Amino acid sequence: MSTITTKDGTEIYFKDWGLRNAQPIMFHHGWPLSADDWDNQMLYFLGKGYRVVAHDRRGDGRSTQVSDGHDMDHYAADAAAVVEHLDLRDAVHVGHSTGGGEAARYATRHGKGRVAKLVLIGAVPPLMVKSPANPGGTPVEVFDDFRKQLAANRAEFYRAVASGPFYDYNRRT
């Protein structure tokens, strides 16, 4: 299993497929998914000659299950640690949902000289919570409810998320 350890001791799992001298595409997954969510896209671009990389964000998948550091600054720093470890340059960064906010924060804080393009797909902004500085944000009560549902029945919450607000596979069209 490929991992790196960040400055704060968090282990971050990553996949790195393809030729080392090929242009890299780094995929940033949405919450509460993992790098595996990108496998189909990674295989497609691998077949087109790209080097493809994806990582499990802290707290998700095979990365360390930590109780702190769940903010865009930490997520971006974790991504930067993977990029630096692999010495990725001229990379295309693709982010979905939370991964989009992470990729945007990475590009602005750590990406100088390393980012060729940034692709945001249904991305969340780096700041989602409603506040005086972000009046159009989501009320904190929505996130509090997510946390309550997770604590009450984690398996049911993950089933409901996949079948509901993100993918709608069980909804009539």
Side-chain angles (χ1 to χ4, degrees):
M1 194 162 93
S2 299
T3 62
I4 55 110
T5 302
T6 65
K7 291 177 185 174
D8 70 357
T10 303
E11 264 194 12
I12 302 296
Y13 167 83
F14 64 90
K15 299 176 180 190
D16 178 16
W17 302 342
L19 298 174
R20 299 302 171 251
N21 63 346
Q23 184 178 19
I25 302 175
M26 184 162 175
F27 294 91
H28 303 257
H29 68 81
W31 178 86
L33 306 170
S34 71
D36 296 343
D37 194 49
W38 289 109
D39 280 359
N40 287 336
Q41 291 80 9
M42 290 176 70
L43 289 168
Y44 173 83
F45 285 107
L46 181 65
K48 299 292 182 188
Y50 289 89
R51 177 182 183 182
V52 292
V53 176
H55 67 290
D56 288 351
R57 185 175 306 108
R58 64 174 51 218
D60 293 327
R62 290 146 290 205
S63 290
T64 304
Q65 303 295 305
V66 294
S67 60
D68 62 345
H70 294 285
D71 56 71
M72 291 299 171
D73 290 339
H74 280 88
Y75 296 161
D78 294 348
V82 173
V83 168
E84 289 168 18
H85 175 76
L86 298 175
D87 194 28
L88 302 180
R89 297 190 184 280
D90 195 33
V92 176
H93 286 263
V94 179
H96 167 253
S97 189
T98 303
E102 171 188 293
R105 183 65 57 95
Y106 164 78
T108 59
R109 292 215 169 167
H110 307 278
K112 186 173 180 163
R114 294 187 179 265
V115 177
K117 295 180 183 177
L118 178 62
V119 180
L120 304 177
I121 304 167
V124 300
L127 177 60
M128 288 181 60
V129 178
K130 185 175 185 173
S131 70
N134 187 28
T138 303
V140 72
E141 293 81 14
V142 171
F143 301 105
D144 290 341
D145 185 52
F146 281 169
R147 286 187 281 270
K148 277 201 260 185
Q149 290 178 52
L150 272 166
N153 188 337
R154 187 177 178 98
E156 172 57 24
F157 177 79
Y158 286 124
R159 187 208 60 76
V161 166
S163 65
F166 294 128
Y167 302 109
D168 285 343
Y169 76 81
N170 67 340
R171 305 267 201 292
R172 291 183 184 186
T173 56

